[in-house]
Amino acid sequence: MAKVHRLISVVLRVAAAAAAAAAAIIMVTSHETTSLFGLELEAKYSHIPSFIFFVVAFAVACVYSLLVVLVPQGSAASRLVVMTDVLMGMVLTGAVAAAGAIAEVGRNGNSHAGWLPICDQVHGYCTHVMGALIAGFVALILYFLIIMYSLHVVADPTCPCH
């Protein structure tokens, strides 16, 4: 039974690492240059602090997920992993929320603040950002499953794996 628990945990963590890596890579590759009224405008992820936070959070989540696979099941560190999984889930939630809020303003603008939408001018950039957000949501869902599964394994008194 312990081997099955370990296998499920490893599969979830590797899938979460892949989704987190995809989210970070897609966001990093999002940039587009356009000309508007004779001015050249460049849209890059690095121009927006929320997108930088998104990239850093998902890069850290990817590395963390792969490192946690190396923690022996049943060790004292494995209980600490549950807590750090929850922290990582909270950081990723904040990153997706921050990037999603900025993406919403970029797509629809804000008439109350006088902010115009930019996605009509830099459609490829906005498409990349949307792809990164989708991959980020997938990683976030996988992290939720990791947390729920880890809590189940730690709380199960019949399991010899902890």
Side-chain angles (χ1 to χ4, degrees):
M1 190 66 161
K3 288 183 181 183
V4 172
H5 285 303
R6 182 74 175 159
L7 178 66
I8 292 170
S9 178
V10 167
V11 167
L12 283 172
R13 288 185 188 284
V14 169
I25 290 168
I26 293 168
M27 185 65 84
V28 165
T29 60
S30 65
H31 77 302
E32 185 175 350
T33 304
T34 188
S35 182
L36 185 65
F37 302 121
L39 297 173
E40 191 169 288
L41 301 172
E42 182 181 33
K44 276 177 100 170
Y45 89 96
S46 60
H47 295 163
I48 301 171
S50 295
F51 290 172
I52 294 171
F53 173 51
F54 182 91
V55 168
V56 170
F58 279 92
V60 168
C62 175
V63 171
Y64 167 78
S65 294
L66 295 175
L67 288 177
V68 167
V69 169
L70 303 175
V71 174
Q73 200 166 5
S75 68
S78 66
R79 289 187 185 261
L80 179 64
V81 166
V82 176
M83 185 176 66
T84 53
D85 284 344
V86 171
L87 290 173
M88 189 59 64
M90 291 188 312
V91 169
L92 294 181
T93 300
V96 168
I102 295 298
E104 169 65 19
V105 171
R107 181 167 299 284
N108 297 319
N110 185 328
S111 60
H112 302 291
W115 298 336
L116 299 174
I118 65 160
C119 285
D120 293 337
Q121 286 78 32
V122 285
H123 183 70
Y125 172 75
C126 289
T127 303
H128 255 81
V129 169
M130 186 60 63
L133 285 170
I134 290 168
F137 273 116
V138 169
L140 191 57
I141 289 167
L142 287 167
Y143 255 92
F144 176 75
L145 293 174
I146 288 169
I147 292 166
M148 292 296 110
Y149 188 74
S150 296
L151 289 172
H152 166 72
V153 169
V154 168
D156 185 7
T158 63
C159 180
C161 52
H162 56 308

